[in-house]
Amino acid sequence: MTQQVVRSAAANGNGGRDVNGDLAQRYLSVRAVTESIAAVLSAEDQTVQSMPDVSPTKWHRAHTTWFFETFLLKPQRPSFREFHPRFGYLFNSYYEAIGERHPRAERGNLTRPGAAEVGGYRAFVDSAMVKLIHGTSPEQTALRQLVELGLQHEQQHQELLLMDIKHVFSRNPLAPAYNEKLPHHVASTPTPLRWTEVDGGLVEIGISATDAFAFDNEGPRHKVWLEPFRIADRLVTCGEWMDFIDDGGYRTPSLWLADGWSTVDREQWTAPLYWQRADEQWQLFTLGGLRSIDRAEPVVHVSYYEADAFARWAAARLPTEAEWERVAELHARPGAGNFLSSGRLHPASAARDSGIQQLYGDVWEWTTSAYHAYPGFTPSEGAVGEYNGKFMSGQMVLRGGCCVTPADHVRATYRNFFYPWQRWMFSGVRLAAQA
Amino acid sequence: MTQQVVRSAAANGNGGRDVNGDLAQRYLSVRAVTESIAAVLSAEDQTVQSMPDVSPTKWHRAHTTWFFETFLLKPQRPSFREFHPRFGYLFNSYYEAIGERHPRAERGNLTRPGAAEVGGYRAFVDSAMVKLIHGTSPEQTALRQLVELGLQHEQQHQELLLMDIKHVFSRNPLAPAYNEKLPHHVASTPTPLRWTEVDGGLVEIGISATDAFAFDNEGPRHKVWLEPFRIADRLVTCGEWMDFIDDGGYRTPSLWLADGWSTVDREQWTAPLYWQRADEQWQLFTLGGLRSIDRAEPVVHVSYYEADAFARWAAARLPTEAEWERVAELHARPGAGNFLSSGRLHPASAARDSGIQQLYGDVWEWTTSAYHAYPGFTPSEGAVGEYNGKFMSGQMVLRGGCCVTPADHVRATYRNFFYPWQRWMFSGVRLAAQA
Amino acid sequence: MTQQVVRSAAANGNGGRDVNGDLAQRYLSVRAVTESIAAVLSAEDQTVQSMPDVSPTKWHRAHTTWFFETFLLKPQRPSFREFHPRFGYLFNSYYEAIGERHPRAERGNLTRPGAAEVGGYRAFVDSAMVKLIHGTSPEQTALRQLVELGLQHEQQHQELLLMDIKHVFSRNPLAPAYNEKLPHHVASTPTPLRWTEVDGGLVEIGISATDAFAFDNEGPRHKVWLEPFRIADRLVTCGEWMDFIDDGGYRTPSLWLADGWSTVDREQWTAPLYWQRADEQWQLFTLGGLRSIDRAEPVVHVSYYEADAFARWAAARLPTEAEWERVAELHARPGAGNFLSSGRLHPASAARDSGIQQLYGDVWEWTTSAYHAYPGFTPSEGAVGEYNGKFMSGQMVLRGGCCVTPADHVRATYRNFFYPWQRWMFSGVRLAAQA
Amino acid sequence: MTQQVVRSAAANGNGGRDVNGDLAQRYLSVRAVTESIAAVLSAEDQTVQSMPDVSPTKWHRAHTTWFFETFLLKPQRPSFREFHPRFGYLFNSYYEAIGERHPRAERGNLTRPGAAEVGGYRAFVDSAMVKLIHGTSPEQTALRQLVELGLQHEQQHQELLLMDIKHVFSRNPLAPAYNEKLPHHVASTPTPLRWTEVDGGLVEIGISATDAFAFDNEGPRHKVWLEPFRIADRLVTCGEWMDFIDDGGYRTPSLWLADGWSTVDREQWTAPLYWQRADEQWQLFTLGGLRSIDRAEPVVHVSYYEADAFARWAAARLPTEAEWERVAELHARPGAGNFLSSGRLHPASAARDSGIQQLYGDVWEWTTSAYHAYPGFTPSEGAVGEYNGKFMSGQMVLRGGCCVTPADHVRATYRNFFYPWQRWMFSGVRLAAQA
């Protein structure tokens, strides 16, 4: 987190507002969202790790708490006594500077602390955090920024928690629903795909130093040359994906990157994750359980390899992240879209409106851009410098947030990143093409 | 289970006794033991599978229930409706004849059914089973034998449950105790090892057709020629094992079988499982938590490879299963020993009595005998024929029961079996030698 | 090699014979066989290791030479200078007592020394060995026994060399023949299988101290109780194996040991090794190239798991090694059979004679006996003590020699051993049954 | 290979020159270089594959021949009969459009065809190719371009052959030299590193349609915005790398990308590939054998992860490929440098001249640019379209050629690419920094 770009809404000019009160309020509100997501899950649900990429629910709840304990309470409060002497070892995710930690793939072996004890840990830290926040002086801007980083971090884990529990449930032959009362998906009529032309030229992307919060990897703002291009006005649909499958998409090596084809072969992929064939019909496993697929709804849970192959089959390509960000600046508004707060927990079909649809929310959109440092990037000093920079190798950028992202967590410059073979996140496809 | 040898106590001549009542009583009593073992475990504890060999507690509770539902209730009661249509898939362990089943290594991914729902499953089946037992006619001997098989099966899982939860807890850096109030281990004075001479000759081992229950693999009774031999009067102790370690036992290839040495090298073994070095002292992880080691107590959780290497280092050998059984018939009484009911859940030091000590209970004793069929062995017809016979390859026989075995579950002819590299069961060593 | 049982033909009472001359003659003759087997192979053929179990031809040629250099020349000749200072590291197979060695799986990475240089190594050692042999005094019996052990060791590697090069060639899509001019296999009429009854009782098996050479694992001679049994008069044929396949043998779990079934599943076995399906016909890859299968010829290259499953399908079983040895003593003569010297390099169909056929030669016959120490077994002192004893775990005994075994290398007490999943050796099946 | 950019020297306006004669001459000359590189290797040397990334020498010789047979002779000469019907299967590297092929990791299992037979294959195809070339008409430009592509392809394999045999020899404890008479490395005095400033601005990189040959991935030429930057005037030296090691470089996680650190941990890296510690001194395995390291010579055989960590330790960074190409256009001449023809087969120390040194030749220089398509890139139609495009995922670009690259094979726009963990190629480091 470079100091130039990270700014919390709470950090600056207050004009008489109760800055600390606002921040404490926001702290409690974000923390409560996590607990409400977890509340419908049993103790057993919260314990399982169905693959090394997945973490147990109670681990997410404890790790986000550890973040505040480690980066705020311990450094700021000399008299602070940690909740448990070994929780630092158990709930450090990947911060080498903080010290040794429990191996990631072993998180599912921890039966203790139980879900209820984790609740106690959260309450303990929340109480201390609220005191800490109320005690900050006006000039402790950096400290308030760090609280905001912790909250943004917690929002990321709210999304991860839902991705992860979906994967856990998908491995159970009983196909349990996270929530059986999700709004029922209503099949709709597919809208035809239309292309929007975007001018090229020397543009700027990335975050500049402003008051608003951003992660260090979103900056510095810098110039990029763009050739003119076209962008699809909506996401690729399940119906289009069925056509790809029916046309032998998963059996035609010439459509695939070499690494993609070897993955298809090794993993025996024949469809997106969570698609199941039953009685010649495609079924979809969702957080609401198993149901049939609507041709009009966006495809989700596809890897970069699949997105890239689909685009080649469609005689198009994926956008670069600079192109995506340019479109976002010209055509969309961050807060609008199908986010966590809609309660759907699944992407929705495109509206029949004119203009670029679904850019924010619904699904993370794969770009062809490798996740690398922007020119002039330097990570923050200290342990939080490990937050983003050390992952800048081998992963691809995704943009726009998805249906399980908190609405106020995403913006035009936001860079998500995953390995090209991963697909348990809510990832989908928007096509681009040369102008 | 060959029909000649399997006999339940409940199966025969009753002389006016209430055979069905007795069996129902025994049924409920064995089932209650399982629940009492599980009762101290939280929902999270009951869910985790820390390695493929281990099963979650709630899986054990459900699988033993499935056994009665599948082999008794469904075949015997045409109107019986199973508790849940998918439980047959989830809780079949390895019976190919019954059909497809959930992969073993995936048992830890099941958050549902929860521990409480498994309790409901058990109650449902118990109720139907008690009715079934009370309704058997005097001549339905085979049916009562099958109930007895189910109870013996459940007793095996009582032991497995405790082995497994010990392994689960051992993977947690918090080192939780299964029971913090276990009887405290009191350090004692080691007794010197003495040898007993046993005559050779043509002996018989194995079970013959009698009234008592036995597994099919214990028969038929058959002749074996034994040369005279010597047998140790007590188990190998932790103190002796420390001497082996200090003498470079784990670093000296000439002491080891080739497969054993490559396992030591690959797994980086330097001591028995659950031994930890801390501040130049050996600590022991037990079901009562972590504590220091008593030189006089028996070593436990060693593999066949380690037992064999130790014996070579000690200029002795392990007994064959025929030798062990001969000793048992001459020198010991099955019911006496440190079993599950003692509540220690750990082997105890040898008494200073004369005679062969610790033959039953405390630890399973490795023999040099591969687990193969006795001459003339034929497995039972039907699915229960898979109970034992198909495992007769690659495993070694252990004898005598251990501190987590129900006391009435073991006898002189009882054959337990594990792969030579396994050591999460309560396995230990008794030495033998040529006369 | 226990001193009681190992006796070389050259070691004793000579009655005027030139003991040293005879041994030197035998030495050169055995060594020449190795070179003649390798002579038809190119430098490239001699270099490849197609799986970790396989060693390159030139490695076999060098390792057998290293054996004489290490166990004879270096200890016996103080002035002896080894051929190359690093060959001890490269060509030690598994003797821990000799020191560090090149990892087995890396043998195929050695391009140097080349095949020609290995020839130079052999000539160098042969020259020194002949001098050593001629210089032995009459009382140096142990030394001459060690020469004999080296020659028996070389004979084992002659067989291994042919097994291994067969595997190497089998991995080449060009399906090269080791020898294109092998005697052509002539299809014959299958003979019906007949059973011979054998009495039970207290018998003795194993080698006793005699003049003839034997490996340490063949003794001591000891008593075994046998029940009466029946033994098949010939080997199982390919035609019978086709019936097993056609009857779903490889798809029926109830026929298999649990470990066998998981191997079938993981390795996708549907037939013996080297069987290929082409145009609805079974083809066989042999040392003479690819050809069609004769229903009458013995099946070869089957694992223990397959042999055991076939026997179960045939309502029979495999013999124990004691039963096999009893049959051999009653019914067969070691030297007679289809051995290396026949030049067929493949098992031949059974003759239509009466009596037990094919007991020696053709294929190694799987027994149900785990490869363990006989009662009272102690391995030799020193490095050669590693020859046999340390492999006594996890493997099964095979008996009788095969079509690539030197005829004078096998006897009734000879114990070969392999893991139950291995099948690149010339292993086949003779059935047994209860009387 | 897009038709706009691929142009062979032989393809165009000849002004009276013998275009076909020149091309035939070039064909024979390039092909002869391959044979001269292989000529010092024995048949055994040419057979081994020491890891899946490596191919045997004779495979390289055959595969480059297959390329001409498959893409030139078979399509152009209806009467052409291929040398061997199965060579197409054996020597296709990765062209899915051509059909099934031998698995890459199995190349080392092929003892046949032998090295001599591959020589016959090469002569057969050369003869047919020379005839084909002489028979081309002036307007068959595309055909001559395809010949040139085949020759460029062969040059790439000349480099691969030397990389691969170096790896093969490195796995042999005898440490054989490819050539014992390589020019001896003379230790020199390190030159201080100096920085050159380069202006930013909107620049163009990539190849435009010209007469000269280029691969399809080098185009289209396109605009890129560069910020001002600094570039090191020479490569990173072994002495600097020793300082990195001594400063704990391989033990400090904060210097590494997360994927890099896990590779260091898993592979136990403590130095570049081919460095060995002996008697407290660093030794270097080269194509000339083992020798001590000169602090002034460039470091080579480092992965991207190591290059990136070193740069971070040095408070610098790696250049982007656009920066590198900009420097090359401003400051260097492609033909000048230490290439294959120097016969050193190892990078040389920087000269003490002013100006940018070592940009071409010596070592491939890692850039921070992921290997992706340039804007507007489209691969060629047909099988040769698989040449480059399908590898555009997960790999990083390297620039400039190395000491085993043919001098006329490299240019400013040339893009080499490897995975970030690979290091058996001649890869090294040039530092860059913000201006």
Side-chain angles (χ1 to χ4, degrees), chain A residues 71-72 85 166 180 214 258 284 292 333:
Chain A
F71 295 115
L72 273 300
K166 184 172 182 177
E180 293 186 350
L284 192 64
S292 60
R333 193 164 50 80

Side-chain angles (χ1 to χ4, degrees), chain A residues 189-200:
Chain A
T189 316
T191 56
L193 186 153
R194 283 166 302 198
W195 295 95
T196 297
E197 302 257 345
V198 185
D199 290 341

Side-chain angles (χ1 to χ4, degrees), chain B residues 96 202 223 225 253 256-259 261 305 368-370 372 375-376 389-393 396 419 434, chain C residues 96 202 223 225 253 256-259 261 305 368-370 372 375-376 389-393 396 419 434:
Chain B
E96 304 274 357
L202 197 60
K223 292 192 180 62
W225 176 264
W256 296 78
L257 290 164
D259 287 349
W261 184 245
Y305 295 140
T368 61
S369 301
H372 286 166
K390 74 179 182 184
F391 301 108
M392 289 175 170
S393 118
M396 303 301 289
Y419 288 101
Q434 295 311 97
Chain C
E96 303 274 356
L202 197 61
K223 293 191 179 62
W225 176 264
W256 295 78
L257 290 163
D259 286 349
W261 184 244
Y305 295 139
T368 61
S369 300
H372 286 166
K390 73 180 183 183
F391 301 108
M392 290 175 171
S393 117
M396 303 301 289
Y419 288 100
Q434 295 311 99

